[in-house]
Amino acid sequence: MQARNWIIPFTLASWWAGIIPPKGKNAIVIKNQSPEVFKHSLTWGIQKLDEFSEVLDDRILFINAWNEWAEGNYLEPCIQNGYSYLEKVKEVFG
């Protein structure tokens, strides 16, 4: 079996794991997230895939997650942001 070359950039809309249940100082919180910051992270992921395209077997960009509401990580339309996160995905991937 031949070895495969993998680089899988990862992005997410937001994150506040550790808040429920409380983890105090061990909580992970990503601050200042917005649809524009999310779009930037998508663009960065595409740039990394382009940078390593000659050695990669597959081009995969992992987006986490559709509806992790309890962790504040979702792309699903909501009252606060509407469809803006999904619109940023469309802008980047067309």
Side-chain angles (χ1 to χ4, degrees):
M1 180 177 205
Q2 184 178 9
R4 298 191 63 158
N5 295 313
W6 291 92
I7 294 174
I8 303 177
F10 170 87
T11 189
L12 44 83
S14 188
W15 190 260
W16 52 319
I19 305 302
I20 305 170
K23 291 188 179 181
K25 293 180 181 178
N26 294 324
I28 298 170
V29 179
I30 295 176
K31 298 166 97 175
N32 303 319
Q33 278 296 87
S34 69
E36 282 303 317
V37 171
F38 176 66
K39 179 181 177 181
H40 176 76
S41 69
L42 292 172
T43 303
W44 174 86
I46 296 295
Q47 289 171 346
K48 289 297 158 192
L49 290 171
D50 289 344
E51 184 179 330
F52 294 99
S53 65
E54 292 183 20
V55 297
L56 294 177
D57 292 324
D58 295 298
R59 292 175 48 90
I60 299 170
L61 175 64
F62 184 83
I63 302 173
N64 185 54
W66 174 250
N67 61 358
E68 289 288 343
W69 292 92
E71 295 171 343
N73 184 17
Y74 53 88
L75 295 175
E76 194 172 28
C78 66
I79 293 171
Q80 181 177 353
N81 294 304
Y83 287 82
S84 58
Y85 282 95
L86 292 176
E87 289 167 356
K88 298 305 174 190
V89 172
K90 185 177 179 180
E91 287 174 23
V92 172
F93 292 99

